[in-house]
């Protein structure tokens, strides 16, 4: 019995290592077009009418930046984790092509999301940041990309990235 359990643990560990390597390779490939040090501006007014300026907010602290859409199925799993992170860390989310401000406010209220949202109904911010996959998550510090990931990301993965930025 112990030998079977040990074999199972080895298989699980190998699968985890392969998944991490593949995920890292995909993130590297998807981020190759993003300039990590000369970021486009991320400024505007949030849906809560608060001014947003990523460059000033990220001075001396890490900021979680989340590009997502209400239409994105994977975002349905990642967004609750981002909402949890927003209670502990500075977080800016950019809603890509998800409708006008009224529709976005209704969506946020319905799902009880409290994070800061810059609405990007025409995807102009997404295009300037060269976002091609949703969700896309970046950790920005001193207006430079510390971490970049796309697709599904877990809450522990988000915590780890923010703690080590």
């Amino acid at each position: 019995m112990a030998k079977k359990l040990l074999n199972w643990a080895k298989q699980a560990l190998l699968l985890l290592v392969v998944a991490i390597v593949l995920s890292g390779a995909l993130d590297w490939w998807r981020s190759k077009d993003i300039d990590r040090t000369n970021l486009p501006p991320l400024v505007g007014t949030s849906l809560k009418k608060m001014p947003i300026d990523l460059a000033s907010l990220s001075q001396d602290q890490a900021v979680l930046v989340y590009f997502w859409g209400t239409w994105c199925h994977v975002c349905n799993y990642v967004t609750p984790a981002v909402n949890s992170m927003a209670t502990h860390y500075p977080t800016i989310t950019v809603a890509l092509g998800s409708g006008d401000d009224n529709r976005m406010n209704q969506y946020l209220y319905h799902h009880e999301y409290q994070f800061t949202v810059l609405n990007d109904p025409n995807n102009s911010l997404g295009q300037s940041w060269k976002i091609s996959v949703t969700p896309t998550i970046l950790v920005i510090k001193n207006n430079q990309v510390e971490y970049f990931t796309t697709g599904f990301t877990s809450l522990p993965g988000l915590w780890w990235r923010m703690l080590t930025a």
Side-chain angles (χ1 to χ4, degrees), residues 129-145:
W129 278 72
K130 299 180 183 173
I131 302 300
S132 60
V133 176
T134 56
T136 293
I137 298 173
L138 301 102
V139 176
I140 309 292
K141 187 172 182 181
N142 295 321
N143 208 37
Q144 295 185 8
V145 176

Side-chain angles (χ1 to χ4, degrees), residues 72 103 124:
C72 168
R103 180 175 175 194
S124 57

